[in-house]
Amino acid sequence: MKKVNFKIQGMHCASCSVRIEGALKKLPNVKSASVNYALEEAYVETEGDEQELYDIVKKEGYSVQSKEHRKDAHGKEDHAHHEHDSTRTSKKKAIIASAIALPVALTAMLGVPIPGEAFGYPLKSLFEAVLTTIVVFGPGIGFHKVAFQQLKRFSANMDSLISMGTLTALIFSWWSLTQGGHVYFETAAIITALILVGRYFEALSKGRAGEAIQKLLELGVKQAHLVQSDGSTKDVDVETLKLGDVVLVKPGEKVPLDGIILEGTSSVDESMLTGESIPINKHEKDNVFGATVNQTGVLHVKLTATSHTSVLAQIVDLVKTAQSEKAPVQKMADRISGIFVPVVIGIAFLTFIVWILLGNGVEAALIPAVAVLVIACPCALGLATPTAILVGTGRAAKNGIFIKTGEALERVKKLDIVMLDKTGTITQGKPAVTDIVTNKSTKEEVITIAGSIEASSEHPLAAAMIASAKEKKITVPLAKRVQSTTGMGISGEIDGVTMKVGRKTFVTQGEIPAPLLEKASALEKEAKTVIYVSKNEIVIGIIAIADPIKEDAIEAITRIHALGAETMMITGDNTATAEAIAKKVGIKTFFAEVMPKKKLELVKDEQRKGKKVAFVGDGINDAPALTQADLGIAMGTGTDVAIESGQIVLIGGETIKIPEAIRISRRTFSTIQQNLFWAFIYNALGIPLAALGFLNPMIAAGAMAFSSISVLLNSLRLKRM
């Protein structure tokens, strides 16, 4: 059994992926198949040949993108190129169709005159006829190709409705033009243009799905310093490294791949993996991970993973798997159209036959039959979803909430649990000074000494102390003879006096006053990091540093509960810190010391219980969980990967926007449901009237236009939300 994945070109709606997936599953050698519409990619487990998979996809009317065409200039997989090409094509079609359809709309609907005749026909009608034909068989040809493919399989979808309506309006109008009757060219032209514009916006949001994986891949190191047998180093491509190779990692560089430290000590920023802003002290025999940042010391690392088996590679796989496991969500209009289209065609045909049997001529029988098809044309259906999404997402954007896909709106309808990553979501995501306690000194002196000594350090805790001094408008003198001891602290001289900042065993060999130790213990119980400051071996104060809770976090959690959802906090931080933060913000359930894979499993565990889960995060380590969750909400202050993995992005990163995003999304989805309901009700009432002859095609076209306007007006109500 082997796993095969390949790109599919030509998918234009969720029903396409469902149909291809069903066809692949019917193959005897296929164990499982999943087709991801967002990524335009198929994931198949098969015992057979790959070619038979490609053949079945082509038989369904789609094409397979070869692996050669998926390579970039460096010979690596290019995940972004195809999405960009697809979006560009959709944009081109939308612009061309709109540009040609606009003059037709102006002449037909606004009555802009074009005097004169040509070939014995009104020049105005010929002008509309030619332009409409170009639109329908130019940019709109894709609808008819898909409809034909559907027809060969005795099935129908939204494209079948579009093709049927536009072709009927076009062909009947040409015939009516020759008979001197009324024409309806604008119906075909405007419907084609509107639907193509909607497809372009859909392609825009769909193309972003693959960017998360592309950005993850970009995090990896391209080259590494390979240590050779004679002790010298040689720069090589990471792809060529093997298990057991030893690499040199200098301060400020990324660790190329997972490994064990053979020599050196350092402070390593693992925030891309754990999400925690405070670096981890690393010593010999400690594990380090690819794409994490070595901050201080020089490290010799023995590799324990290749570029295909590293933690980063596993995260990429987790994101891809989570995306592929999701069943594509078919739009309501597509689901119903499978029944709606053949029923409408049947009614139109029956109308024609009945009118003939009642003794009417062919022309008299054709008019009500065409009226049935025209009034059933899915303009309102096509507008129902995109107009509500455009208005709702625009309203959300004003509040700094970016709703990336219409699918997110459906997912937010019923949420049972909102899981929140701690760092960057509930807390600010960077260390800050929270407390300064003195012993025979002043707070200004303590922070001045700390800032002077730490000015030469790039440690995040040092940055917190320097920032605190700046906030207090304290001028910090530059210390001399500064020396750093990894994992312990830093020392220096100010005006000939030795100053130290760090652990208590580092800053002094003498006694520390009991009240100061008691206060330090209390601060540590609040999950704060305590830094001791000494002057000539005498401790003059302590500084507490923590990742502060966001000002709006408590109110945000309260509002989420009011929306009927539970909350859980998930963090890579230690249990004591997690417990303290959860208690402060009002979250009862929390999970600490959680790695990316575990976050993903926690989401899956709740989904197995039948619960709908939203995950809120901002780090690379959150990407798999954001993708797996029924709704991924990314904090806009986080990493690009997290932002691309989430379906909703909160610009600015305010926690209070989480419940606001849920509320706006629910209202928008409710509007979509209302639009679809009225669009179908309109058809249900209009079709019988057209069949009975109460609506000629002209009135039917007007009724269809009115239904579209009503859908648009209902969507615009979201602006006042």
Side-chain angles (χ1 to χ4, degrees), residues 283-299:
H283 307 277
E284 288 183 13
K285 297 185 180 178
D286 283 346
N287 290 317
V288 288
F289 304 97
T292 58
V293 182
N294 177 32
Q295 292 200 323
T296 52
V298 176
L299 299 176

Side-chain angles (χ1 to χ4, degrees), residues 427-494:
T427 65
Q428 293 178 10
K430 59 181 181 180
V433 172
T434 59
D435 305 86
I436 301 174
V437 184
T438 63
N439 172 45
K440 298 178 181 180
S441 183
T442 63
K443 290 184 179 181
E444 287 74 15
E445 184 182 16
V446 171
I447 200 66
T448 298
I449 291 172
S452 299
I453 301 296
E454 296 285 4
S456 303
S457 173
E458 294 182 359
H459 197 286
L461 298 186
M465 288 181 270
I466 294 166
S468 179
K470 287 181 179 179
E471 285 174 13
K472 294 176 172 56
K473 298 181 179 179
I474 294 172
T475 302
V476 178
L478 192 62
K480 298 178 180 179
R481 296 184 179 85
V482 177
Q483 278 191 316
S484 175
T485 305
T486 303
M488 295 300 292
I490 188 168
S491 63
E493 288 185 10
I494 302 174

Side-chain angles (χ1 to χ4, degrees), residues 227-260:
V227 179
Q228 303 185 96
S229 56
D230 61 358
S232 63
T233 60
K234 178 184 178 183
D235 289 350
V236 298
D237 290 338
V238 168
E239 295 283 337
T240 65
L241 293 173
K242 303 183 295 296
L243 292 176
D245 281 348
V246 177
V247 294
L248 176 72
V249 187
K250 300 174 183 178
E253 292 183 339
K254 287 183 178 180
V255 178
L257 293 170
D258 304 357
I260 298 174

Side-chain angles (χ1 to χ4, degrees), residues 34-328:
S34 176
V35 178
N36 188 296
Y37 169 53
L39 294 178
E40 297 187 332
E41 199 160 3
Y43 301 81
V44 185
E45 278 189 281
T46 181
E47 293 177 339
D49 183 56
E50 289 183 31
Q51 190 58 46
E52 71 172 346
L53 305 179
Y54 303 158
D55 291 341
I56 201 71
V57 170
K58 291 173 183 176
K59 187 179 178 182
E60 290 295 317
Y62 305 89
S63 58
V64 176
Q65 187 182 19
S66 67
K67 291 183 178 179
E68 287 70 25
H69 288 147
R70 294 165 58 184
K71 304 284 186 179
D72 62 16
H74 303 287
K76 295 183 179 180
E77 291 272 333
D78 185 359
H79 295 264
H81 176 75
H82 178 59
E83 283 78 5
H84 174 72
D85 189 57
S86 176
T87 303
R88 186 173 56 188
T89 301
S90 299
K91 182 179 181 180
K92 184 178 178 181
K93 287 181 179 179
I95 290 174
I96 293 173
S98 300
I100 300 174
L102 183 60
V104 178
L106 292 174
T107 57
M109 300 176 73
L110 298 182
V112 177
I114 301 178
E117 288 189 355
F119 308 108
Y121 300 107
L123 190 60
K124 177 175 175 289
S125 297
L126 282 177
F127 173 77
E128 293 172 8
V130 172
L131 290 187
T132 300
T133 304
I134 292 171
V135 171
V136 172
F137 291 107
I141 191 65
F143 299 132
H144 314 303
K145 286 181 177 178
V146 173
F148 180 68
Q149 294 289 343
Q150 291 285 310
L151 183 62
K152 288 196 296 185
R153 293 166 182 76
F154 301 101
S155 62
N157 69 352
M158 195 70 168
D159 280 1
S160 302
L161 282 171
I162 296 165
S163 177
M164 177 187 68
T166 54
L167 287 178
T168 301
L170 178 66
I171 294 169
F172 177 77
S173 294
W174 271 107
W175 177 82
S176 184
L177 177 63
T178 63
Q179 303 300 311
H182 192 84
V183 294
Y184 311 96
F185 290 113
E186 76 280 1
T187 299
I190 293 170
I191 288 173
T192 302
L194 285 172
I195 300 299
L196 285 173
V197 169
R199 289 280 167 89
Y200 165 59
F201 284 116
E202 187 177 6
L204 267 181
S205 60
K206 185 181 68 172
R208 294 182 178 274
E211 291 180 24
I213 293 171
Q214 189 68 21
K215 289 183 182 296
L216 277 171
L217 293 170
E218 289 170 2
L219 286 170
V221 181
K222 303 299 183 289
Q223 285 200 319
H225 311 303
L226 176 64
V227 179
Q228 303 185 96
S229 56
D230 61 358
S232 63
T233 60
K234 178 184 178 183
D235 289 350
V236 298
D237 290 338
V238 168
E239 295 283 337
T240 65
L241 293 173
K242 303 183 295 296
L243 292 176
D245 281 348
V246 177
V247 294
L248 176 72
V249 187
K250 300 174 183 178
E253 292 183 339
K254 287 183 178 180
V255 178
L257 293 170
D258 304 357
I260 298 174
I261 297 175
L262 295 181
E263 294 179 31
T265 58
S266 184
S267 181
V268 179
D269 179 359
E270 294 187 347
S271 58
M272 62 77 61
L273 186 63
T274 65
E276 300 311 314
S277 55
I278 298 176
I280 309 298
N281 292 321
K282 296 286 185 177
H283 307 277
E284 288 183 13
K285 297 185 180 178
D286 283 346
N287 290 317
V288 288
F289 304 97
T292 58
V293 182
N294 177 32
Q295 292 200 323
T296 52
V298 176
L299 299 176
H300 283 73
V301 178
K302 182 179 180 180
L303 301 182
T304 57
T306 66
S307 59
H308 301 291
T309 60
S310 67
V311 170
L312 179 62
Q314 290 175 43
I315 292 176
V316 172
D317 288 340
L318 289 172
V319 172
K320 292 182 76 172
T321 302
Q323 288 183 331
S324 68
E325 284 178 352
K326 282 179 184 162

